[in-house]
Amino acid sequence: MNRFVAALESRMGTQAVLRTLPFAAMATVVVLDLLAGPSLGLLPLLTLGPALAAVTGGVRHTALAGLVALVLSVPLAYHDELLGRPQITITLVAIVGVTTAAMLACRLRAEGERKLADVRLVAETVQRVLLPPVPRRAGDLRIALSYTSAAVEARIGGDLYDIARGPDGVRLIVGDVQGKGLDAVETAASVVGAFREAAYDEPALADVGRRLEDHLARRLGGEKFVTAVLAEVREGEISLLNYGHPPPLLLTCDGRVHRLEPREEAPPLGLVALAPTGPEPYRCAFREGDQILFYTDGVCEARDRGGSFYPLEDRAPRLLRAGDPQDALDLLERDLVSHVGGPVPDDAAMLLVRRERP
């Protein structure tokens, strides 16, 4: 909350500075004109006021800047001995014209922003329905989530995640749908729905995987595939089933990092029928104080401007030390965005599961 308030105050301060920029520009023009005298002819530069106001404010702000420009033009014209000459008429027409065009641009921008806000609201609602917030606690587990969509204004994409109670422990899925756009979102929602049903019913993790494969075979007919990791957390250990997905990272309480790779690679969901056998479940110890980071390829394949991949295995142990898992994952997300130098080029989802000490 404190971070949000600080960011809001910083943004409000920046906006206040920007709103004064048009008037500061006109004041600069007035000072320079008075110092330079009639020879330089800086009067037309008063049009900078309404032009900048259209960028930094709204319609009323722009109109006010235009009015101030008109008021300032009269004493400046007198000082420059331009009253009664064509130059002052041209300047006044220019100020009125620029102000009118700038006000129209502000109105069109405001309408676009309203439509964009409506789209973002609908997208966030869809995301809550299709990918609801994960529980922050499940028994002795603490869970954190980070989701960054490549479609910045849509906020949803083809990455998927979910957590559910199974017969013998907590089960989860993290995956990535092939492709982009609404088709990928629809497929991701379908996989999450199938996982929720199977996770509660099936006795073994491999059975959950088979249910998902059958579901995709019926729904997609081999046209798409989904890389995914299924996991089941039990007392003292975690079982994993990897369908061609980047391996999770185990960060032990003593600071070591292990890639939880399967013994043999397996094809993604939707393509398992093309392989002789499906993936084999594998296990590893998951003790108090340990944490496991699940992620999609949008994280490990993110590049900086020099083309270097994000060093997840090097950064994760240092950045995920915070006491609160969500704060730690937020720190890792900010580091990822800083590495890229802007919006991530692909959807990037991360799920952090930490086993609490007693």
Side-chain angles (χ1 to χ4, degrees):
M1 178 62 71
N2 291 336
R3 186 171 65 248
F4 173 77
V5 172
L8 182 60
E9 291 177 347
S10 176
R11 183 177 179 182
M12 292 177 63
T14 302
Q15 289 179 343
V17 172
L18 290 176
R19 288 177 67 86
T20 62
L21 183 60
F23 305 99
M26 289 187 289
T28 302
V29 171
V30 171
V31 171
L32 292 178
D33 187 86
L34 292 175
L35 293 176
S39 59
L40 198 55
L42 298 178
L43 192 60
L45 292 181
L46 288 174
T47 55
L48 286 174
L52 291 173
V55 178
T56 60
V59 175
R60 293 182 179 178
H61 187 64
T62 304
L64 176 61
L67 179 61
V68 171
L70 288 173
V71 171
L72 291 176
S73 64
V74 175
L76 281 185
Y78 176 79
H79 175 266
D80 295 341
E81 301 177 356
L82 296 176
L83 291 178
R85 296 186 180 183
Q87 290 90 331
I88 183 59
T89 303
I90 295 174
T91 299
L92 294 176
V93 171
I95 292 174
V96 172
V98 170
T99 302
T100 303
M103 293 171 63
L104 178 60
C106 285
R107 183 170 183 177
L108 293 176
R109 185 188 65 195
E111 292 178 356
E113 289 176 348
R114 283 195 296 270
K115 291 179 180 179
L116 180 58
D118 291 341
V119 170
R120 294 179 67 173
L121 179 61
V122 171
E124 291 174 359
T125 303
V126 171
Q127 185 183 33
R128 285 194 296 269
V129 173
L130 301 183
L131 298 175
V134 298
R136 298 305 179 183
R137 289 182 178 270
D140 63 347
L141 303 179
R142 297 188 67 186
I143 301 162
L145 173 70
S146 167
Y147 190 101
T148 305
S149 175
V152 178
E153 302 304 343
R155 296 193 178 182
I156 53 176
D159 288 1
L160 59 97
Y161 55 85
D162 198 21
I163 294 178
R165 285 279 187 181
D168 298 320
V170 176
R171 289 174 172 173
L172 62 91
I173 183 174
V174 174
D176 185 3
V177 178
Q178 173 220 7
K180 303 292 181 184
L182 294 178
D183 288 342
V185 174
E186 185 179 359
T187 301
S190 176
V191 172
V192 169
F195 170 79
R196 290 172 186 166
E197 293 182 2
Y200 285 106
D201 299 335
E202 298 296 339
L205 194 62
D207 297 327
V208 177
R210 281 190 285 272
R211 281 271 296 270
L212 294 179
E213 178 64 22
D214 292 341
H215 171 79
L216 286 176
R218 291 193 305 268
R219 187 179 184 280
L220 302 180
E223 296 180 359
K224 286 184 179 293
F225 61 84
V226 180
T227 68
V229 173
L230 304 181
E232 183 174 45
V233 181
R234 300 183 180 183
E235 185 174 354
E237 69 173 15
I238 183 170
S239 298
L240 299 158
L241 200 61
N242 194 315
Y243 290 87
H245 197 77
L249 295 181
L250 170 65
L251 296 87
T252 62
C253 57
D254 57 4
R256 292 177 296 170
V257 181
H258 302 280
R259 290 167 57 89
L260 301 181
E261 295 182 302
R263 288 181 291 273
E264 295 183 2
E265 292 187 2
L269 290 166
L271 300 179
V272 175
L274 303 179
T277 60
E280 291 292 331
Y282 57 104
R283 296 179 175 85
C284 75
F286 187 33
R287 302 182 177 88
E288 289 83 0
D290 293 348
Q291 48 188 351
I292 297 180
L293 178 66
F294 298 85
Y295 55 94
T296 59
D297 59 6
V299 177
C300 57
E301 295 180 0
R303 299 172 183 258
D304 61 13
R305 294 175 182 176
S308 300
F309 290 109
Y310 180 66
L312 179 63
E313 292 185 42
D314 295 334
R315 303 284 180 86
R318 175 173 56 86
L319 297 174
L320 295 180
R321 293 177 179 174
D324 182 77
Q326 190 60 58
D327 290 342
L329 198 57
D330 290 344
L331 185 61
L332 183 62
E333 178 187 339
R334 290 195 295 271
D335 188 67
L336 172 66
V337 174
S338 176
H339 176 82
V340 175
V344 293
D346 193 8
D347 300 329
M350 293 184 287
L351 188 69
L352 181 65
V353 181
R354 180 182 295 177
R355 175 154 262 164
E356 289 186 327
R357 294 181 181 274

